[in-house]
Amino acid sequence: MDAVGLLLALCLGLGLAAATGLRAFLPLLMVAVMARFDIGGLDFGERFAWLETNTALTALGFAVVAEFVLDKVPAVDSATDAVMTLVRPVLGGVVVWASFSGSDPALAPILAMIAAPVALASHGGKAVVRPGVTASTAGVGNPAVSLMEDVWAFLLVVLAFLAPVLIPILLALTVWLGWRFFRWLRRRANGLRTKPAA
């Protein structure tokens, strides 16, 4: 693989990992469906071929729905995030490894090792922002923020395959916007705490 191909592969891996940090099962389901129906030339190879089976796709579909629903419920979403702290980095590595196992089996595990901490960082950012949303909106804003995370995770996977060179820019923008949003939430929560009672 030449330098350009390596850069594109790295960008693709970053996008998939970041998406997995937001939603554990959605990126894996998306790439498994792509491999199953030979979309974009994605090949899981023999090692991860089981992910393309009806059983695996059905199980992933149920997991995606369960995560989608549970993440919309205040308090339950925090408990789910706590459980997913270890799951998301592992799945981030798996989704990247599977995506490259057929086309470049030597590079796949290296990219997977890079992907795991990226997924953990993405998950960590989500875990930091979400309590601020809960505190500043009494949990009312959690479903809306969760839905935005669903959409963003989906778009990251799509863009990772269609325009991987955009991924580093989008991730930098996401970090900046997330930091600004977190600061706004913290100011709002502090304002609510110091507001005199009527």
Side-chain angles (χ1 to χ4, degrees), residues 23 71-74 77 130 133 137 139-150:
R23 290 295 173 267
D71 202 60
K72 304 297 179 290
V73 183
D77 60 344
R130 189 61 72 85
V133 175
T137 66
V140 176
N142 287 34
V145 172
S146 177
L147 188 59
M148 287 189 290
E149 292 167 355
D150 294 326

Side-chain angles (χ1 to χ4, degrees), residues 50-67:
W50 61 273
L51 284 169
E52 303 174 44
T53 63
N54 290 336
T55 302
L57 291 175
T58 301
L60 286 172
F62 278 117
V64 167
V65 172
E67 187 177 23

